[in-house]
Amino acid sequence: MVGLSRQRFHQLKGITFPEPMRDPETNRPFYDGELQQICLDVRRRNCGIDGKPVLFYSPRHPLGQQERPVRKAKAKPKQTSKHPEVIDGLDALGVSATAAQVEAAVHQVFPDGIQNLESAEVIRAVFLHIKRQEHG
């Protein structure tokens, strides 16, 4: 409730925070509503029951809110190419090519078009063409 580890809370028990009450039957320690409120006030005011100021680390999350924020997956930029499967294939091979580069390579390697060709064949040819341009 106070946003401290159990170990740190027990270190400060009796100095900064009040000692717990004891159950008469089991001798187990517990904090009733009034003692819990005192502990929360100590944390809020940064001043112990002995009157001395106490510095607490800021909690990593707001008190009472233990959930982590949900991160949205980054959306891939939309491809406005005539050949998105070729761009994806090249990307899988480690070649980042723009739509314009792929378009130019397809026109140079396949001047009659790629209508009757398998995508793997097109990707291979475009990959080789782009690699030749980079090194040559």
Side-chain angles (χ1 to χ4, degrees):
M1 287 177 63
V2 293
L4 297 174
S5 69
R6 181 180 296 182
Q7 180 180 7
R8 182 65 176 145
F9 183 80
H10 285 291
Q11 286 174 345
L12 298 174
K13 185 171 59 174
I15 304 165
T16 302
F17 293 108
E19 288 285 343
M21 298 175 68
R22 298 273 178 185
D23 183 1
E25 294 176 12
T26 61
N27 201 30
R28 289 186 67 178
F30 72 96
Y31 286 88
D32 65 356
E34 185 179 329
L35 289 176
Q36 288 177 22
Q37 191 60 47
I38 292 171
C39 291
L40 292 173
D41 287 341
V42 165
R43 178 62 195 248
R44 183 181 49 80
R45 294 182 300 121
N46 292 329
C47 183
I49 58 171
D50 58 359
K52 294 183 182 176
V54 181
L55 294 177
F56 297 107
Y57 285 120
S58 298
R60 292 186 180 146
H61 51 79
L63 293 176
Q65 184 179 359
Q66 303 265 339
E67 301 154 6
R68 291 184 175 191
V70 177
R71 292 185 179 172
K72 295 181 180 179
K74 292 183 179 178
K76 287 187 175 182
K78 293 183 180 179
Q79 297 173 349
T80 58
S81 170
K82 295 180 185 176
H83 310 290
E85 68 282 348
V86 177
I87 295 173
D88 289 341
L90 291 173
D91 190 42
L93 293 171
V95 176
S96 58
T98 64
Q101 288 173 320
V102 171
E103 195 71 36
V106 167
H107 284 297
Q108 285 182 346
V109 177
F110 303 103
D112 296 330
I114 60 171
Q115 290 80 12
N116 298 326
L117 299 173
E118 291 190 31
S119 63
E121 184 179 345
V122 175
I123 292 168
R124 179 182 177 280
V126 171
F127 173 81
L128 292 173
H129 179 78
I130 290 174
K131 284 298 186 182
R132 280 189 210 115
Q133 285 183 333
E134 287 177 358
H135 297 293

